Amino acid sequence: MSSGSFKQVYVQCPFYKTDDGRRQITCEGICDGCNMTLSFKSKSDWEKQIDVFCSEHYRKCEVYRMVMEKYQE
């Protein structure tokens, strides 16, 4: 698995695992022992996601909300 981009130092989401620095972000999955990988068409879309939803506003991320349901049950 990738060691992640330099942007990972800004990530606050507890479910973030790693990214490839270009177009993919890997997060904890909705079931035990699995991961989810988000793939983006462009690097700019990837940057928006990691800058906004993985970092500052992670509670608004749909992946975060899906994974949180696992812990609330």
Side-chain angles (χ1 to χ4, degrees), residues 4-21:
S5 69
F6 72 92
K7 289 184 176 274
Q8 69 183 347
V9 299
Y10 303 108
V11 170
Q12 295 180 27
C13 181
F15 304 128
Y16 167 90
K17 295 280 189 175
T18 191
D19 66 84
D20 71 353

Side-chain angles (χ1 to χ4, degrees), residues 28-73:
E28 180 178 328
I30 58 174
C31 57
D32 292 335
C34 70
N35 294 323
M36 291 192 293
T37 299
L38 304 172
S39 298
F40 298 89
K41 285 186 174 186
S42 68
K43 185 172 181 177
S44 64
D45 290 342
W46 170 85
E47 286 180 325
K48 287 178 198 172
Q49 180 73 22
I50 201 161
D51 290 345
V52 176
F53 292 109
C54 297
S55 300
E56 191 173 345
H57 301 288
Y58 68 88
R59 287 184 176 94
K60 294 180 182 179
C61 176
E62 295 200 13
V63 173
Y64 172 85
R65 289 185 285 185
M66 286 189 313
V67 177
M68 272 307 290
E69 286 184 29
K70 168 172 79 172
Y71 292 104
Q72 293 173 348
E73 293 179 353

